[in-house]
Amino acid sequence: MRISVSAPVLASALLLLWLQPTPAASAQSTQVAQTPPMGWNSWNYFAGKVDDAGVRAAADQIVASGMKDAGYVYVNIDDTWEGQRDASGVLHTNSKFPDMKALADYVHSKGLKLGIYSGPGPKTCAGYAASLGHEEQDAKLYAEWGIDYLKYDLCSFIPAVMEKQAPHDKAEQMRIMIAAYDKMAKALKATGRPIVFSLCQYGWDAPWEWAPALGGNLWRTTGDIDPTWDRIYVILSQQEGLEAYSGPGHWNDPDMLEVGNGKLSMAENRAHFSMWAMLAAPLLAGNDLPHMKPEIRDILTNRDVIAIDQDRLGKQGARIYSDGEVDVWVRHLEGGALAVAVLNAGDNRYSSHPFHLNLAKLGLHGPQQGKDLWSGKGLVLTEGMPIELKSHDVLFVRIPSPK
Ligand code: GAL
């Protein structure tokens, strides 16, 4: 029998072989992100206004607000910290960050970790210096500073390298992109410091299929989030089908949290946080922590919801069915427990026209004893039970022993 292998299949097989982690590499990548990383990132609220004082204030607030005790660890500086390279190619910070090592020491003194941002191109998305041609040098610098997390954002690499080197060949452009992420992954590993590696290339070319092999701990699955319900719901819907790719050490990243940002209603903030927990998503708060309202702090520090996100099994939830504009999601948890989220993407459902839960569709039979994770009260889910749900709100229940 003759087995023929097409050129693209052969090319993918070779690529996967080439990406196989070395034993040292896999040891390194399994040290970090065994559960989805939790912390804060400067971009969603501060964008280009982030500075040393703001990062220290965020670290202080993570401790003071109880977020640290709830599991938030990483304090991540996003774009706009970068200055110029000197004659030896060493990158310096700009005037907003006078001393990155001192900042890292400060963050570490609080029992937290510091994250930073760069990209494979010549410039970051905001037009600051990025790592092209300086990957090893930058990785070493991060390790010397005491950096614990790198978000690596594609941006200018697209026109400057991918489109230039392979103008008419999209597949080749993707191979060039993957090689660039692999290069930085190797440079980080070579430092010997455990550094979470976060890929930000907007989900191009199915990173969930190749990022784990090169040691990526998380990868963005979509374009940018913004603090509107529509965008959050679109991103949520785009996670369907990616469940199998997520797990301890390697996570789908539907982007950082917008809880407390923009004009999101309390229901929307709750639903956004709940659904990111269902997705086993990294929980990187993106709000103005020193001015956070108590009700936003209460959402971000809901231990029951965080426990779903951080469940050690690391199994991402899935939408099981939709009925009109109500979606019902399930996530399997350690020890056979189950999380059920009933999300109302439509208008208010009053008692005159409630949503009726179909337990059988979830594979559940008979009354299910659970806990409502937002009221904190016990709740029994029954077949066909009527549920009143505000617009864009969620009923989030943990069932310890589903039947
Ligand atoms: C985008 C990225 C954002 C943020 C921004 C900074 O490409 O998706 O999360 O990092 O760049 O310029």
Side-chain angles (χ1 to χ4, degrees):
M1 192 177 75
R2 215 176 138 239
I3 299 172
S4 65
V5 180
S6 70
V9 169
L10 191 62
S12 320
L14 286 173
L15 182 68
L16 281 175
L17 266 181
W18 169 63
L19 286 174
Q20 283 310 307
T22 59
S26 46
Q28 147 89 32
S29 56
T30 53
Q31 282 168 12
V32 292
Q34 288 305 290
T35 60
M38 289 179 65
W40 173 86
N41 174 293
S42 58
W43 186 257
N44 281 357
Y45 184 83
F46 292 98
K49 295 202 177 77
V50 63
D51 62 7
D52 178 283
V55 173
R56 285 172 194 251
D60 292 347
Q61 283 307 310
I62 289 174
V63 176
S65 64
M67 287 174 70
K68 182 186 168 206
D69 289 340
Y72 294 82
V73 175
Y74 292 99
V75 182
N76 291 351
I77 306 167
D78 208 278
D79 206 349
T80 80
W81 63 268
E82 308 86 343
Q84 306 296 324
R85 292 190 188 276
D86 64 22
S88 343
V90 176
L91 183 59
H92 294 265
T93 52
N94 62 40
S95 60
K96 296 191 296 165
F97 289 89
D99 186 340
M100 196 61 91
K101 172 97 182 71
L103 179 56
D105 290 347
Y106 182 79
V107 169
H108 291 154
S109 77
K110 303 262 155 188
L112 301 170
K113 294 177 187 286
L114 188 66
I116 212 159
Y117 167 98
S118 188
K123 297 268 181 235
T124 66
C125 291
Y128 290 72
S131 295
L132 183 65
H134 297 275
E135 294 81 0
E136 286 84 7
Q137 202 169 21
D138 286 358
K140 270 193 205 134
L141 183 66
Y142 304 150
E144 279 162 27
W145 281 339
I147 297 294
D148 306 291
Y149 185 117
L150 174 68
K151 172 174 165 185
Y152 207 48
D153 195 347
L154 191 61
C155 264
S156 71
F157 192 76
I158 306 164
V161 179
M162 290 157 62
E163 290 174 355
K164 209 169 251 171
Q165 284 185 14
H168 307 295
D169 187 345
K170 287 282 176 202
E172 181 57 16
Q173 288 181 16
M174 295 301 151
R175 281 189 280 274
I176 294 169
M177 171 185 70
I178 295 171
Y181 278 93
D182 189 51
K183 187 167 201 178
M184 183 47 97
K186 290 203 165 85
L188 292 175
K189 279 163 202 156
T191 69
R193 186 177 173 84
I195 298 176
V196 173
F197 189 34
S198 158
L199 281 69
C200 178
Q201 42 79 272
Y202 339 114
W204 285 13
D205 211 28
W208 41 89
E209 288 186 2
W210 49 265
L214 61 77
N217 300 114
L218 58 152
W219 48 86
R220 281 271 297 278
T221 54
T222 67
D224 286 14
I225 197 166
D226 63 48
T228 60
W229 174 257
D230 286 355
R231 184 67 190 139
I232 289 167
Y233 188 70
V234 164
I235 290 182
L236 172 65
S237 307
Q238 288 177 333
Q239 307 314 303
E240 288 189 55
L242 302 185
E243 302 86 21
Y245 298 96
S246 215
H250 53 96
W251 307 99
N252 289 314
D253 175 10
D255 209 354
M256 306 171 294
L257 294 166
E258 292 284 13
V259 174
N261 284 343
K263 294 187 174 136
L264 293 174
S265 69
M266 288 307 288
E268 289 168 343
N269 281 310
R270 250 193 319 268
H272 172 28
F273 196 60
S274 305
M275 296 318 293
W276 262 230
M278 284 300 269
L279 294 171
L283 296 181
L284 296 172
N287 56 325
D288 178 7
L289 296 181
H291 299 102
M292 169 165 61
K293 294 196 177 110
E295 56 269 33
I296 295 298
R297 179 204 56 213
D298 291 349
I299 291 178
L300 288 172
T301 56
N302 182 316
R303 303 276 182 126
D304 286 330
V305 174
I306 290 171
I308 303 292
D309 180 76
Q310 296 288 300
D311 185 79
R312 295 244 145 221
L313 200 58
K315 225 170 169 310
Q316 181 172 323
R319 188 174 61 137
I320 304 299
Y321 77 95
S322 294
D323 184 350
E325 292 183 293
V326 178
D327 303 325
V328 183
W329 289 65
V330 158
R331 181 172 171 187
H332 292 274
L333 305 169
E334 212 180 13
L338 208 65
V340 176
V342 182
L343 176 70
N344 180 9
D347 291 338
N348 290 333
R349 300 294 291 258
Y350 303 105
S351 58
S352 53
H353 183 215
F355 174 73
H356 291 277
L357 183 62
N358 187 330
L359 278 183
K361 280 193 179 162
L362 309 182
L364 298 173
H365 304 285
Q368 307 291 323
Q369 189 73 51
K371 180 178 181 185
D372 177 334
L373 303 185
W374 287 111
S375 75
K377 295 192 179 127
L379 180 74
V380 181
L381 297 182
T382 55
E383 188 57 76
M385 73 186 278
I387 299 174
E388 292 171 47
L389 268 179
K390 286 208 187 81
S391 175
H392 305 170
D393 209 345
V394 69
L395 173 70
F396 200 13
V397 179
R398 184 177 189 278
I399 306 172
S401 308
K403 294 179 290 257

